[in-house]
Amino acid sequence: MKNDMEGLCKLREIKSRSISPENFGGEKGRGGMAEEGTGVPYARDLGRGWKISPSVNIGAGETFTLGEITGPGRIRHIWITTSSEINRTFVLRIYWDDCEEPSVETPLGDFFASADEQQYEQLTSLPVCVNPRKALNCYWDMPFYKKCRITLENLDEEEIMVFYQIDYQLMELDPGLGYFHAQFRRTNPLPYKQDYTILEGVSGKGQYVGTYLFWGVNNNGWWGEGEIKFFMDGDREYPTICGTGTEDYFCGSYDFEVDGTYRPYCTPYAGLSKITDTDGAYQSQQRFSMYRWHITDPIYFETDLRVTIQALGWTSRRRYLPLQDDISSVAYWYQDTPAPSGSVLGSKEELEII
C-alpha cells in the first residue's frame, strides 16, 4: 500500500476499525455504547454516549488485554498515554497468529523511543511520534494473517489509568508480508571490552528496520566512537556491515557537538535528545536518547541476524577507551514467521532508570 498523498485517492476493499475503552472489540456500530467506565462520575448529567469509558484502570501487577483482532488485517496506528509517569512501569506485548510468545515485548516508553519520563521531548519521525505532554504514537505497519493480541502489564505497585486507541484495517493481504518484531535489551554496566548486543537470536528471512538506544554515560569525555555491526546469514567473527561511529550511525557527525555543547535534532529517520542537563558537553552521568529508522534503507537478511555496537571513548593518551556504560535498546524488524521477541527484561528494579 502506498503511504503517499497520491495513494489516498485509490478506492480499496478495506474495513476501518478501532479499539478503545469505548469499543473494546472494535465492532461496527458499537462505539460509545458503554454504561460503565472511568467517565461515569463526569457524565452523570449527560448519560450514555457522553464519554462514559475513555480509559481503563490496570491494577498493580496486572496484565490487561488492550485488544484482540481476528484477521486478516493490519494495525495502522497505536496511541497511548497514562495517568502516571510512564518510565518502565509498563510492558507492551504483541502476539501474532498462533505464536504463544510475544513477537513484540518492550517497556512501553522504550517502544516509542522515549525511555525516560523525566523529559518527554517532542519526537517527530515517520513511524513514531511523541507529542505534548506524553502522547505516544506508533505508525509501524503491522500486518497479520490470522489474529493478533496486544497486552499491557503494570509493573507498578499502584493502580494506573491508561488511555489508548488501536486503529486497524480488515482486508485481504498479499502473501509474503513480514511480521513486525521488537526486542528489548539492557546491560548495566557493560563489561570492559565487550560489545553491547542490540539484537540476537533472529532466525528466518526478513529486514531490519530500526534501532532505539538509551545511553547512560559513566565517564567524562566523548563516548560515541563505537561502531555498529550487522552480522547476517552466517557471519561469525566479522560482520557484513560495519559502521564508522555511533553518531555516524544515527546520521550525525563529530560528537553531535556545536560550539561546545550537544545539539539535539529530530528528523523523519533519525534523532537525538539529551536527557540530562550538565555543564558543557562532556560531563559524566549524562544520558542520551537516539533513534535510527531504516525506512528507505532496510537491512535485508536471508537466514539470521545479530546486531552489536561498541561503547568507545578516549584515554588521556589519545587512545580508544572501552567504556562500561548503561545501555538499553529496542531493535525493530520484520521476518517471515511470527517468532518470540527474544527480549531480556529482568525485574522492575533491573529495568528502572535511576
Side-chain angles (χ1 to χ4, degrees):
M1 293 180 64
K2 287 188 174 183
N3 288 321
D4 57 13
M5 297 292 287
E6 180 183 351
L8 289 175
C9 66
K10 182 175 176 58
L11 301 181
R12 299 179 174 90
E13 295 298 323
I14 297 175
K15 296 178 180 179
S16 294
R17 297 290 185 264
S18 183
I19 288 174
S20 75
E22 288 284 12
N23 188 355
F24 288 113
E27 295 95 343
K28 180 181 181 303
R30 296 188 64 83
M33 295 178 62
E35 296 183 86
E36 298 293 333
T38 57
V40 167
Y42 316 108
R44 58 184 179 273
D45 297 329
L46 299 174
R48 192 179 189 188
W50 290 89
K51 203 168 182 177
I52 298 295
S53 181
S55 57
V56 297
N57 292 317
I58 304 180
E62 291 185 356
T63 297
F64 180 81
T65 297
L66 298 176
E68 291 188 80
I69 306 170
T70 299
R74 62 204 314 156
I75 296 172
R76 304 299 288 178
H77 172 235
I78 299 174
W79 166 84
I80 192 165
T81 191
T82 76
S83 62
S84 71
E85 300 299 352
I86 294 171
N87 201 338
R88 289 174 171 165
T89 55
F90 283 109
V91 176
L92 177 71
R93 297 181 175 93
I94 304 179
Y95 303 76
W96 303 122
D97 291 357
D98 298 321
C99 190
E100 296 183 357
E101 296 186 61
S103 297
V104 172
E105 185 177 29
T106 89
L108 183 64
D110 294 76
F111 181 77
F112 293 89
S114 300
D116 196 322
E117 85 285 354
Q118 295 180 32
Q119 185 174 342
Y120 275 105
E121 295 283 350
Q122 174 82 34
L123 194 163
T124 306
S125 75
L126 287 178
V128 174
C129 292
V130 180
N131 301 320
R133 180 167 105 191
K134 49 181 176 181
L136 308 178
N137 293 270
C138 163
Y139 295 93
W140 288 111
D141 189 15
M142 304 183 193
F144 55 95
Y145 288 95
K146 296 180 181 179
K147 58 187 177 181
C148 81
R149 179 164 59 97
I150 304 174
T151 68
L152 194 64
E153 181 182 6
N154 179 12
L155 301 178
D156 203 3
E157 298 173 354
E158 298 181 359
E159 181 180 79
I160 297 178
M161 184 178 292
V162 177
F163 301 78
Y164 71 96
Q165 185 163 332
I166 303 166
D167 299 315
Y168 63 98
Q169 299 168 344
L170 299 177
M171 58 189 298
E172 292 300 320
L173 298 175
D174 294 333
L177 297 180
Y179 290 86
F180 185 77
H181 291 68
Q183 181 181 111
F184 171 85
R185 306 181 71 87
R186 183 187 194 183
T187 302
N188 181 27
L190 185 68
Y192 185 63
K193 288 187 177 181
Q194 179 174 307
D195 288 358
Y196 174 78
T197 297
I198 295 173
L199 176 66
E200 69 176 0
V202 174
S203 178
K205 179 178 181 177
Q207 51 254 30
Y208 187 87
V209 296
T211 306
Y212 171 64
L213 278 185
F214 186 74
W215 197 299
V217 183
N218 291 328
N219 283 62
N220 289 332
W222 171 237
W223 47 273
E225 288 297 328
E227 297 177 335
I228 194 165
K229 298 177 180 179
F230 292 86
F231 299 81
M232 60 184 68
D233 305 333
D235 291 343
R236 292 295 179 261
E237 184 176 0
Y238 296 103
T240 296
I241 297 175
C242 182
T244 59
T246 301
E247 82 273 47
D248 308 338
Y249 171 68
F250 287 97
C251 302
S253 66
Y254 290 105
D255 304 6
F256 305 121
E257 179 198 323
V258 178
D259 297 328
T261 187
Y262 290 101
R263 181 64 59 87
Y265 60 97
C266 184
T267 77
Y269 303 113
L272 164 81
S273 61
K274 180 170 172 287
I275 303 301
T276 52
D277 290 322
T278 59
D279 294 333
Y282 300 114
Q283 302 302 306
S284 177
Q285 306 305 315
Q286 297 189 99
R287 293 194 178 105
F288 300 87
S289 190
M290 298 169 282
Y291 65 90
R292 166 73 156 91
W293 310 134
H294 293 270
I295 294 175
T296 62
D297 58 342
I299 295 173
Y300 295 91
F301 55 94
E302 293 291 330
T303 59
D304 58 87
L305 181 67
R306 179 167 60 95
V307 184
T308 67
I309 195 168
Q310 299 162 332
L312 207 59
W314 293 97
T315 69
S316 59
R317 301 179 304 279
R318 199 58 183 172
R319 294 181 181 178
Y320 291 139
L321 173 66
L323 302 176
Q324 296 177 274
D325 288 340
D326 174 9
I327 307 175
S328 308
S329 62
V330 179
Y332 309 78
W333 77 100
Y334 291 92
Q335 69 177 74
D336 51 359
T337 58
S341 69
S343 294
V344 182
L345 290 174
S347 66
K348 177 178 179 290
E349 289 71 25
E350 290 171 315
L351 289 172
E352 187 175 3
I353 301 168
I354 302 297

